[in-house]
Amino acid sequence: MKALVWVEHDNQVVKDATLSAVTAASQLGEVHLLVAGKGCAGVADAAAKIAGVGKVHLADDAAFEHALAENVAPLVAKLMESHDAVLFPATTTGKNVAPRVAALLDVMQLSDILSVEGPDTFTRPIYAGNAIATVQTSDPKLVITVRGTAFAKAAAEGGSGVVEAVASTGDAGLSSFAGAEIAKSERPELTSAKVIVSGGRALQNSENFHAIIEPLADKLGAAVGASRAAVDAGYVPNDYQVGQTGKIVAPEVYIAVGISGAIQHLAGMKDSKTIIAINKDEDAPIFQVADIGLVGDLFKVVPELTEKL
Amino acid sequence: MKVLVPVKRVLDYNVKPRVKADGTGVDLSNVKMSMNPFDEIAIEEAVRLKEKGAATEVVVVTIGVAKAESDVLLTARAMGADRAILIQTDEEVEPLAVAKLLKAVAAEEQPGLIILGKQAIDDDSNQTGQMLAALLGWAQGTFASAVEIAGDRVKVTREVDGGLETVDLKLPAIVTTDLRLNEPRYATLPNIMKAKSKPLLKKTVADYGVDASPRLKTLKVVEPAKRTAGVKVADVDALVGKLKELGVAA
């Protein structure tokens, strides 16, 4: 089987999520990559070094600069004439483009897979991760999005892929990029961090969130996350959100501070290796999944913890 | 401009799903079913567009069992949708087939904008809106946190990894809603009473000539691996000790 992996990048560097998709693809067969963007030859060269990669298809055109689904999906669909499967990381870009490709190919997509059980059989979470379904497809071509935390990352070095330019399918003329507001952070990225400190509604306001959660995160070299309640209350921007409707994370250590543990939040973090919960309510559901719990007032406990580390 | 809003009847988000002992699926007998939360946001946005004068009519459509009429379509009309379409079926319909049915509905209704939820909280697929956009050859603004119509274009602010992104789309277009787009209004009792007299069109999958047979076969459904019970520590010093054991603190 020839599997094509969509390389997620910012026209400068390959994003980590791609490496997990490469691992999933390698379980299906021969791995090819697609780098589509503008001025992204450097990305293609870097992608060719990923371990286990064969051909790297490079589509360099202004139409692909911002990965608009309307322009990118026809390109991927065209490449599927010579591939059996296409895998996208289950990031916002992957989720945006992949189903458009699937519909163009008249196949059902397999969303957010957790494992490859066979050439046509996969597991995926349903009901916010409260159930795991094993599904088998009868479609001739596979369109898949891959949950990054469920697959080890392929090595970024050691491969010897060959870069080959592919013809652009052009601009569909339906959409254009109008701007972006990207939150700036000095801390590690949430989805790839080894340690995450997350805050919830109990922080009460934005000032407390910054004053209590961030020093602890900095002490541990951790990324900062938040529950939906904290995001909805405006304590932090929404790209901090961990949960079914936010980011799915699986760090070595996840520290939940003032988070009750609603199923929508647990869906985003319950695959973390070690979960630590700090909450003043000893009956909070978070303690049912926490490996280590501390019942106490976060306003006292967390500053004390930060100081003692 | 007419706005079409597809909605789905799902297990209520407050109910903890239980996996059936025989591994065939999640037990949906005698549990509360409601409108998918993202779809409520879609209706709210459509109704707000109408209130602002940007839309002339809001049509809501669902594909599902007969009970979707009372569980979902009544609520939708009570929230402000003008009329409803029920495409009745007792079978589960996958996103691809839903998109094909919605394409057929769009051909009849000729909406200027279709607003869907970004995903349903039962199958968590996050596919239908994108697939429908592909089948219609329309632009798509997924995971929307702001929607602004200006003439024959719509500006959609999207929630993406790392922040926000704004795209400018040619109408007609597809928008899928993210949680922060708006806060849906409640269906009040008087509005629920009034909603009962708003038009409801009943159709079947066969009426649209769409092959809705599934492409995916669910072999089994299991509960996720349970986490082993943890320990509670007495104080901060004990927690510091644990963090050192884990190697995350020096």
Side-chain angles (χ1 to χ4, degrees), chain A residues 118-174:
Chain A
D120 57 359
T121 308
F122 305 88
T123 62
R124 57 174 307 264
I126 53 175
Y127 288 90
N130 282 290
I132 309 295
T134 304
V135 291
Q136 184 176 41
T137 177
S138 56
D139 281 323
K141 302 266 180 184
L142 304 180
V143 177
I144 295 167
T145 61
V146 178
R147 176 169 288 196
T149 57
F151 292 88
K153 292 183 175 67
E157 297 286 334
S160 52
V162 182
V163 179
E164 189 179 287
V166 293
S168 171
T169 44
D171 193 320
L174 295 169

Side-chain angles (χ1 to χ4, degrees), chain A residues 3 5 16 32 42 48 76 107 112-113 117 128 140 155 157 159 162 201 210 215 226 230 254-255 277:
Chain A
V5 174
D16 259 12
H32 292 186
V76 181
V107 301
D112 222 11
I113 63 160
E117 301 292 313
E157 297 286 334
V162 182
R201 201 202 309 260
H210 294 299
Y254 187 90
I255 306 180

